[in-house]
Each structure stands twice: as structure tokens, then as C-alpha cells.
PDB file of all heavy atoms in Angstrom:
ATOM      1  N   GLN A  96       0.870  -1.138  -0.083  1.00 75.00           N
ATOM      2  CA  GLN A  96       0.070   0.045   0.023  1.00 75.00           C
ATOM      3  C   GLN A  96       0.865   1.340   0.009  1.00 75.00           C
ATOM      4  O   GLN A  96       0.587   2.219  -0.637  1.00 75.00           O
ATOM      5  CB  GLN A  96      -0.978  -0.034   1.288  1.00 75.00           C
ATOM      6  CG  GLN A  96      -1.923  -1.122   1.201  1.00 75.00           C
ATOM      7  CD  GLN A  96      -2.823  -1.152   2.428  1.00 75.00           C
ATOM      8  OE1 GLN A  96      -2.605  -0.430   3.384  1.00 75.00           O
ATOM      9  NE2 GLN A  96      -3.763  -2.049   2.498  1.00 75.00           N
ATOM     10  N   LYS A  97       1.906   1.264   0.867  1.00 73.00           N
ATOM     11  CA  LYS A  97       2.843   2.385   0.856  1.00 73.00           C
ATOM     12  C   LYS A  97       3.540   2.529  -0.468  1.00 73.00           C
ATOM     13  O   LYS A  97       3.759   3.630  -1.075  1.00 73.00           O
ATOM     14  CB  LYS A  97       3.834   2.258   1.981  1.00 73.00           C
ATOM     15  CG  LYS A  97       3.293   2.455   3.331  1.00 73.00           C
ATOM     16  CD  LYS A  97       4.346   2.365   4.368  1.00 73.00           C
ATOM     17  CE  LYS A  97       3.795   2.563   5.750  1.00 73.00           C
ATOM     18  NZ  LYS A  97       4.885   2.508   6.828  1.00 73.00           N
ATOM     19  N   LEU A  98       3.939   1.471  -1.111  1.00 68.00           N
ATOM     20  CA  LEU A  98       4.524   1.524  -2.469  1.00 68.00           C
ATOM     21  C   LEU A  98       3.698   2.164  -3.481  1.00 68.00           C
ATOM     22  O   LEU A  98       4.149   3.057  -4.297  1.00 68.00           O
ATOM     23  CB  LEU A  98       4.878   0.021  -2.904  1.00 68.00           C
ATOM     24  CG  LEU A  98       5.755  -0.100  -4.182  1.00 68.00           C
ATOM     25  CD1 LEU A  98       7.056   0.589  -3.874  1.00 68.00           C
ATOM     26  CD2 LEU A  98       5.865  -1.519  -4.507  1.00 68.00           C
ATOM     27  N   SER A  99       2.350   1.851  -3.427  1.00 69.00           N
ATOM     28  CA  SER A  99       1.482   2.482  -4.367  1.00 69.00           C
ATOM     29  C   SER A  99       1.221   3.912  -4.039  1.00 69.00           C
ATOM     30  O   SER A  99       1.055   4.797  -4.951  1.00 69.00           O
ATOM     31  CB  SER A  99       0.125   1.661  -4.351  1.00 69.00           C
ATOM     32  OG  SER A  99      -0.480   1.728  -3.061  1.00 69.00           O
ATOM     33  N   LYS A 100       1.321   4.251  -2.746  1.00 71.00           N
ATOM     34  CA  LYS A 100       1.095   5.683  -2.385  1.00 71.00           C
ATOM     35  C   LYS A 100       2.296   6.551  -2.736  1.00 71.00           C
ATOM     36  O   LYS A 100       2.051   7.696  -3.191  1.00 71.00           O
ATOM     37  CB  LYS A 100       1.004   5.611  -0.861  1.00 71.00           C
ATOM     38  CG  LYS A 100       0.844   7.039  -0.231  1.00 71.00           C
ATOM     39  CD  LYS A 100       0.732   7.050   1.243  1.00 71.00           C
ATOM     40  CE  LYS A 100       0.631   8.418   1.853  1.00 71.00           C
ATOM     41  NZ  LYS A 100       0.703   8.411   3.365  1.00 71.00           N
ATOM     42  N   TYR A 101       3.538   5.960  -2.881  1.00 67.00           N
ATOM     43  CA  TYR A 101       4.718   6.736  -3.205  1.00 67.00           C
ATOM     44  C   TYR A 101       5.060   6.615  -4.587  1.00 67.00           C
ATOM     45  O   TYR A 101       6.141   7.088  -5.161  1.00 67.00           O
ATOM     46  CB  TYR A 101       5.953   6.301  -2.209  1.00 67.00           C
ATOM     47  CG  TYR A 101       5.767   6.651  -0.830  1.00 67.00           C
ATOM     48  CD1 TYR A 101       6.048   5.622   0.188  1.00 67.00           C
ATOM     49  CD2 TYR A 101       5.464   7.901  -0.402  1.00 67.00           C
ATOM     50  CE1 TYR A 101       5.911   6.023   1.446  1.00 67.00           C
ATOM     51  CE2 TYR A 101       5.405   8.223   0.859  1.00 67.00           C
ATOM     52  CZ  TYR A 101       5.578   7.272   1.860  1.00 67.00           C
ATOM     53  OH  TYR A 101       5.474   7.577   3.190  1.00 67.00           O
ATOM     54  N   PHE A 102       4.313   5.964  -5.375  1.00 67.00           N
ATOM     55  CA  PHE A 102       4.565   5.808  -6.832  1.00 67.00           C
ATOM     56  C   PHE A 102       4.473   7.046  -7.574  1.00 67.00           C
ATOM     57  O   PHE A 102       5.320   7.238  -8.662  1.00 67.00           O
ATOM     58  CB  PHE A 102       3.536   4.806  -7.395  1.00 67.00           C
ATOM     59  CG  PHE A 102       3.862   4.502  -8.898  1.00 67.00           C
ATOM     60  CD1 PHE A 102       4.808   3.662  -9.313  1.00 67.00           C
ATOM     61  CD2 PHE A 102       3.065   5.063  -9.920  1.00 67.00           C
ATOM     62  CE1 PHE A 102       5.080   3.345 -10.589  1.00 67.00           C
ATOM     63  CE2 PHE A 102       3.271   4.884 -11.153  1.00 67.00           C
ATOM     64  CZ  PHE A 102       4.292   4.051 -11.541  1.00 67.00           C
ATOM     65  N   ILE A 103       3.703   8.008  -7.077  1.00 72.00           N
ATOM     66  CA  ILE A 103       3.638   9.313  -7.783  1.00 72.00           C
ATOM     67  C   ILE A 103       4.908  10.152  -7.734  1.00 72.00           C
ATOM     68  O   ILE A 103       5.321  10.818  -8.622  1.00 72.00           O
ATOM     69  CB  ILE A 103       2.483  10.168  -7.146  1.00 72.00           C
ATOM     70  CG1 ILE A 103       2.324  11.429  -7.990  1.00 72.00           C
ATOM     71  CG2 ILE A 103       2.809  10.421  -5.689  1.00 72.00           C
ATOM     72  CD1 ILE A 103       1.026  12.225  -7.400  1.00 72.00           C
ATOM     73  N   PHE A 104       5.667   9.932  -6.595  1.00 71.00           N
ATOM     74  CA  PHE A 104       7.010  10.621  -6.507  1.00 71.00           C
ATOM     75  C   PHE A 104       7.940   9.969  -7.553  1.00 71.00           C
ATOM     76  O   PHE A 104       8.835  10.730  -7.946  1.00 71.00           O
ATOM     77  CB  PHE A 104       7.531  10.450  -5.102  1.00 71.00           C
ATOM     78  CG  PHE A 104       6.496  11.080  -4.065  1.00 71.00           C
ATOM     79  CD1 PHE A 104       5.931  10.401  -3.188  1.00 71.00           C
ATOM     80  CD2 PHE A 104       6.566  12.451  -4.026  1.00 71.00           C
ATOM     81  CE1 PHE A 104       5.019  10.771  -2.227  1.00 71.00           C
ATOM     82  CE2 PHE A 104       5.559  13.071  -3.050  1.00 71.00           C
ATOM     83  CZ  PHE A 104       4.888  12.304  -2.192  1.00 71.00           C
ATOM     84  N   LYS A 105       7.884   8.695  -7.780  1.00 71.00           N
ATOM     85  CA  LYS A 105       8.772   8.137  -8.842  1.00 71.00           C
ATOM     86  C   LYS A 105       8.471   8.663 -10.158  1.00 71.00           C
ATOM     87  O   LYS A 105       9.444   9.076 -10.955  1.00 71.00           O
ATOM     88  CB  LYS A 105       8.590   6.647  -8.849  1.00 71.00           C
ATOM     89  CG  LYS A 105       9.429   5.905  -9.879  1.00 71.00           C
ATOM     90  CD  LYS A 105       9.182   4.494  -9.749  1.00 71.00           C
ATOM     91  CE  LYS A 105      10.141   3.608 -10.867  1.00 71.00           C
ATOM     92  NZ  LYS A 105       9.710   4.026 -12.159  1.00 71.00           N
ATOM     93  N   ARG A 106       7.178   8.973 -10.513  1.00 74.00           N
ATOM     94  CA  ARG A 106       6.784   9.555 -11.746  1.00 74.00           C
ATOM     95  C   ARG A 106       7.350  10.964 -11.863  1.00 74.00           C
ATOM     96  O   ARG A 106       7.837  11.401 -12.815  1.00 74.00           O
ATOM     97  CB  ARG A 106       5.284   9.554 -12.018  1.00 74.00           C
ATOM     98  CG  ARG A 106       4.695   8.073 -12.035  1.00 74.00           C
ATOM     99  CD  ARG A 106       5.209   7.440 -13.379  1.00 74.00           C
ATOM    100  NE  ARG A 106       4.789   8.295 -14.561  1.00 74.00           N
ATOM    101  CZ  ARG A 106       3.705   8.381 -15.110  1.00 74.00           C
ATOM    102  NH1 ARG A 106       2.788   7.400 -14.742  1.00 74.00           N
ATOM    103  NH2 ARG A 106       3.431   9.029 -16.177  1.00 74.00           N
ATOM    104  N   TYR A 107       7.188  11.662 -10.638  1.00 74.00           N
ATOM    105  CA  TYR A 107       7.647  13.096 -10.543  1.00 74.00           C
ATOM    106  C   TYR A 107       9.151  13.188 -10.866  1.00 74.00           C
ATOM    107  O   TYR A 107       9.599  14.014 -11.610  1.00 74.00           O
ATOM    108  CB  TYR A 107       7.298  13.636  -9.199  1.00 74.00           C
ATOM    109  CG  TYR A 107       7.935  14.922  -8.976  1.00 74.00           C
ATOM    110  CD1 TYR A 107       7.399  16.052  -9.534  1.00 74.00           C
ATOM    111  CD2 TYR A 107       9.130  15.081  -8.172  1.00 74.00           C
ATOM    112  CE1 TYR A 107       7.879  17.392  -9.273  1.00 74.00           C
ATOM    113  CE2 TYR A 107       9.616  16.360  -7.894  1.00 74.00           C
ATOM    114  CZ  TYR A 107       9.057  17.471  -8.471  1.00 74.00           C
ATOM    115  OH  TYR A 107       9.609  18.722  -8.218  1.00 74.00           O
ATOM    116  N   LEU A 108      10.005  12.209 -10.235  1.00 71.00           N
ATOM    117  CA  LEU A 108      11.437  12.264 -10.427  1.00 71.00           C
ATOM    118  C   LEU A 108      11.742  11.949 -11.915  1.00 71.00           C
ATOM    119  O   LEU A 108      12.787  12.370 -12.469  1.00 71.00           O
ATOM    120  CB  LEU A 108      12.115  11.369  -9.430  1.00 71.00           C
ATOM    121  CG  LEU A 108      12.068  11.836  -8.080  1.00 71.00           C
ATOM    122  CD1 LEU A 108      12.722  10.778  -7.166  1.00 71.00           C
ATOM    123  CD2 LEU A 108      12.810  13.141  -7.875  1.00 71.00           C
ATOM    124  N   GLU A 109      10.985  10.984 -12.488  1.00 74.00           N
ATOM    125  CA  GLU A 109      11.263  10.685 -13.843  1.00 74.00           C
ATOM    126  C   GLU A 109      11.032  11.850 -14.808  1.00 74.00           C
ATOM    127  O   GLU A 109      11.839  12.153 -15.732  1.00 74.00           O
ATOM    128  CB  GLU A 109      10.370   9.509 -14.267  1.00 74.00           C
ATOM    129  CG  GLU A 109      10.752   8.099 -13.750  1.00 74.00           C
ATOM    130  CD  GLU A 109       9.690   7.197 -14.038  1.00 74.00           C
ATOM    131  OE1 GLU A 109       8.580   7.481 -14.554  1.00 74.00           O
ATOM    132  OE2 GLU A 109      10.056   5.880 -13.640  1.00 74.00           O
ATOM    133  N   ASP A 110      10.001  12.692 -14.582  1.00 78.00           N
ATOM    134  CA  ASP A 110       9.743  13.950 -15.258  1.00 78.00           C
ATOM    135  C   ASP A 110      10.916  14.926 -15.073  1.00 78.00           C
ATOM    136  O   ASP A 110      11.344  15.656 -15.958  1.00 78.00           O
ATOM    137  CB  ASP A 110       8.408  14.567 -14.727  1.00 78.00           C
ATOM    138  CG  ASP A 110       7.264  13.591 -15.144  1.00 78.00           C
ATOM    139  OD1 ASP A 110       7.359  12.782 -16.072  1.00 78.00           O
ATOM    140  OD2 ASP A 110       6.170  13.799 -14.577  1.00 78.00           O
ATOM    141  N   VAL A 111      11.410  14.926 -13.804  1.00 75.00           N
ATOM    142  CA  VAL A 111      12.612  15.793 -13.496  1.00 75.00           C
ATOM    143  C   VAL A 111      13.735  15.474 -14.368  1.00 75.00           C
ATOM    144  O   VAL A 111      14.443  16.413 -14.854  1.00 75.00           O
ATOM    145  CB  VAL A 111      12.851  15.830 -11.915  1.00 75.00           C
ATOM    146  CG1 VAL A 111      14.195  16.525 -11.591  1.00 75.00           C
ATOM    147  CG2 VAL A 111      11.731  16.414 -11.175  1.00 75.00           C
ATOM    148  N   VAL A 112      14.110  14.185 -14.402  1.00 77.00           N
ATOM    149  CA  VAL A 112      15.165  13.666 -15.230  1.00 77.00           C
ATOM    150  C   VAL A 112      14.928  13.992 -16.763  1.00 77.00           C
ATOM    151  O   VAL A 112      16.074  14.463 -17.328  1.00 77.00           O
ATOM    152  CB  VAL A 112      15.322  12.136 -15.018  1.00 77.00           C
ATOM    153  CG1 VAL A 112      16.435  11.579 -16.014  1.00 77.00           C
ATOM    154  CG2 VAL A 112      15.691  11.830 -13.586  1.00 77.00           C
ATOM    155  N   GLU A 113      13.763  13.916 -17.223  1.00 79.00           N
ATOM    156  CA  GLU A 113      13.551  14.291 -18.695  1.00 79.00           C
ATOM    157  C   GLU A 113      13.789  15.708 -18.949  1.00 79.00           C
ATOM    158  O   GLU A 113      14.241  16.072 -20.065  1.00 79.00           O
ATOM    159  CB  GLU A 113      12.131  13.926 -18.977  1.00 79.00           C
ATOM    160  CG  GLU A 113      11.864  12.414 -18.956  1.00 79.00           C
ATOM    161  CD  GLU A 113      10.475  12.054 -19.349  1.00 79.00           C
ATOM    162  OE1 GLU A 113       9.701  13.092 -19.565  1.00 79.00           O
ATOM    163  OE2 GLU A 113      10.138  10.852 -19.396  1.00 79.00           O
ATOM    164  N   VAL A 114      13.625  16.634 -17.991  1.00 79.00           N
ATOM    165  CA  VAL A 114      13.692  18.110 -18.365  1.00 79.00           C
ATOM    166  C   VAL A 114      14.915  18.717 -17.690  1.00 79.00           C
ATOM    167  O   VAL A 114      15.084  19.996 -17.719  1.00 79.00           O
ATOM    168  CB  VAL A 114      12.445  18.831 -17.914  1.00 79.00           C
ATOM    169  CG1 VAL A 114      11.205  18.325 -18.510  1.00 79.00           C
ATOM    170  CG2 VAL A 114      12.266  18.709 -16.331  1.00 79.00           C
ATOM    171  N   SER A 115      15.916  17.935 -17.243  1.00 77.00           N
ATOM    172  CA  SER A 115      17.004  18.402 -16.576  1.00 77.00           C
ATOM    173  C   SER A 115      18.302  17.704 -17.102  1.00 77.00           C
ATOM    174  O   SER A 115      18.164  16.975 -18.072  1.00 77.00           O
ATOM    175  CB  SER A 115      16.922  18.243 -14.952  1.00 77.00           C
ATOM    176  OG  SER A 115      16.995  16.798 -14.736  1.00 77.00           O
ATOM    177  N   GLN A 116      19.393  18.079 -16.566  1.00 78.00           N
ATOM    178  CA  GLN A 116      20.699  17.413 -17.091  1.00 78.00           C
ATOM    179  C   GLN A 116      21.074  16.226 -16.327  1.00 78.00           C
ATOM    180  O   GLN A 116      22.056  15.539 -16.649  1.00 78.00           O
ATOM    181  CB  GLN A 116      21.847  18.511 -16.831  1.00 78.00           C
ATOM    182  CG  GLN A 116      22.329  18.644 -15.365  1.00 78.00           C
ATOM    183  CD  GLN A 116      21.458  19.493 -14.516  1.00 78.00           C
ATOM    184  OE1 GLN A 116      20.309  19.910 -15.035  1.00 78.00           O
ATOM    185  NE2 GLN A 116      21.822  19.995 -13.403  1.00 78.00           N
ATOM    186  N   PHE A 117      20.230  15.756 -15.432  1.00 76.00           N
ATOM    187  CA  PHE A 117      20.509  14.489 -14.738  1.00 76.00           C
ATOM    188  C   PHE A 117      20.241  13.285 -15.647  1.00 76.00           C
ATOM    189  O   PHE A 117      19.316  13.321 -16.487  1.00 76.00           O
ATOM    190  CB  PHE A 117      19.537  14.299 -13.537  1.00 76.00           C
ATOM    191  CG  PHE A 117      19.753  15.418 -12.550  1.00 76.00           C
ATOM    192  CD1 PHE A 117      18.867  16.439 -12.420  1.00 76.00           C
ATOM    193  CD2 PHE A 117      20.896  15.452 -11.745  1.00 76.00           C
ATOM    194  CE1 PHE A 117      19.065  17.439 -11.407  1.00 76.00           C
ATOM    195  CE2 PHE A 117      21.131  16.480 -10.710  1.00 76.00           C
ATOM    196  CZ  PHE A 117      20.131  17.360 -10.562  1.00 76.00           C
ATOM    197  N   ARG A 118      21.088  12.337 -15.507  1.00 80.00           N
ATOM    198  CA  ARG A 118      20.977  11.119 -16.353  1.00 80.00           C
ATOM    199  C   ARG A 118      19.918  10.108 -15.943  1.00 80.00           C
ATOM    200  O   ARG A 118      19.286   9.513 -16.721  1.00 80.00           O
ATOM    201  CB  ARG A 118      22.347  10.284 -16.294  1.00 80.00           C
ATOM    202  CG  ARG A 118      23.530  11.133 -17.005  1.00 80.00           C
ATOM    203  CD  ARG A 118      24.769  10.396 -16.718  1.00 80.00           C
ATOM    204  NE  ARG A 118      25.160  10.379 -15.318  1.00 80.00           N
ATOM    205  CZ  ARG A 118      26.260   9.779 -14.897  1.00 80.00           C
ATOM    206  NH1 ARG A 118      27.113   9.290 -15.671  1.00 80.00           N
ATOM    207  NH2 ARG A 118      26.464   9.866 -13.644  1.00 80.00           N
ATOM    208  N   ASP A 119      19.678   9.964 -14.554  1.00 82.00           N
ATOM    209  CA  ASP A 119      18.634   9.071 -14.059  1.00 82.00           C
ATOM    210  C   ASP A 119      18.280   9.536 -12.622  1.00 82.00           C
ATOM    211  O   ASP A 119      18.705  10.494 -12.156  1.00 82.00           O
ATOM    212  CB  ASP A 119      19.227   7.692 -14.044  1.00 82.00           C
ATOM    213  CG  ASP A 119      20.557   7.540 -13.389  1.00 82.00           C
ATOM    214  OD1 ASP A 119      20.898   8.404 -12.605  1.00 82.00           O
ATOM    215  OD2 ASP A 119      21.267   6.486 -13.600  1.00 82.00           O
ATOM    216  N   ILE A 120      17.383   8.799 -12.040  1.00 75.00           N
ATOM    217  CA  ILE A 120      16.942   9.154 -10.786  1.00 75.00           C
ATOM    218  C   ILE A 120      17.848   8.950  -9.694  1.00 75.00           C
ATOM    219  O   ILE A 120      18.008   9.792  -8.822  1.00 75.00           O
ATOM    220  CB  ILE A 120      15.641   8.165 -10.509  1.00 75.00           C
ATOM    221  CG1 ILE A 120      14.505   8.502 -11.292  1.00 75.00           C
ATOM    222  CG2 ILE A 120      15.288   8.321  -9.023  1.00 75.00           C
ATOM    223  CD1 ILE A 120      13.310   7.715 -11.118  1.00 75.00           C
ATOM    224  N   GLU A 121      18.825   7.915  -9.804  1.00 81.00           N
ATOM    225  CA  GLU A 121      19.884   7.821  -8.899  1.00 81.00           C
ATOM    226  C   GLU A 121      20.845   9.067  -8.886  1.00 81.00           C
ATOM    227  O   GLU A 121      21.238   9.489  -7.912  1.00 81.00           O
ATOM    228  CB  GLU A 121      20.732   6.507  -9.260  1.00 81.00           C
ATOM    229  CG  GLU A 121      20.007   5.212  -9.065  1.00 81.00           C
ATOM    230  CD  GLU A 121      19.576   5.004  -7.655  1.00 81.00           C
ATOM    231  OE1 GLU A 121      20.274   5.503  -6.782  1.00 81.00           O
ATOM    232  OE2 GLU A 121      18.543   4.277  -7.306  1.00 81.00           O
ATOM    233  N   ASP A 122      20.972   9.662 -10.065  1.00 83.00           N
ATOM    234  CA  ASP A 122      21.840  10.805 -10.196  1.00 83.00           C
ATOM    235  C   ASP A 122      21.102  11.967  -9.483  1.00 83.00           C
ATOM    236  O   ASP A 122      21.796  12.772  -8.734  1.00 83.00           O
ATOM    237  CB  ASP A 122      22.024  11.282 -11.612  1.00 83.00           C
ATOM    238  CG  ASP A 122      23.105  12.259 -11.754  1.00 83.00           C
ATOM    239  OD1 ASP A 122      23.824  12.483 -10.859  1.00 83.00           O
ATOM    240  OD2 ASP A 122      23.275  12.773 -12.939  1.00 83.00           O
ATOM    241  N   VAL A 123      19.819  12.084  -9.537  1.00 79.00           N
ATOM    242  CA  VAL A 123      19.081  13.159  -8.826  1.00 79.00           C
ATOM    243  C   VAL A 123      19.236  12.905  -7.331  1.00 79.00           C
ATOM    244  O   VAL A 123      19.401  13.829  -6.539  1.00 79.00           O
ATOM    245  CB  VAL A 123      17.488  13.089  -9.132  1.00 79.00           C
ATOM    246  CG1 VAL A 123      16.754  14.093  -8.336  1.00 79.00           C
ATOM    247  CG2 VAL A 123      17.347  13.416 -10.627  1.00 79.00           C
TER     248      VAL A 123
END
């Protein structure tokens, strides 16, 4: 349940990677 709750933050960080100079989420 917590995993599904925090899934939106994963999508948010993926969007950040797409519009920034970071290579991946681990880099962020």
C-alpha cells in the first residue's frame, strides 16, 4: 500500500530527469 502511495513521486522524479541534465533518478 505504501509502495502504491509513493509511486507518484517516482513519476515526478522521472519527469525531472527528462527536463534536466540528470541522467537518471539515482543521479538526482
Side-chain angles (χ1 to χ4, degrees):
Q96 293 175 356
K97 288 185 179 180
L98 185 64
S99 61
K100 179 181 178 182
Y101 293 130
F102 182 75
I103 186 174
F104 298 111
K105 180 176 181 295
R106 295 293 304 275
Y107 172 77
L108 290 176
E109 289 175 350
D110 294 338
V111 171
V112 172
E113 290 180 0
V114 297
S115 64
Q116 75 278 12
F117 297 108
R118 292 172 297 180
D119 50 22
I120 294 178
E121 293 295 333
D122 196 8
V123 176

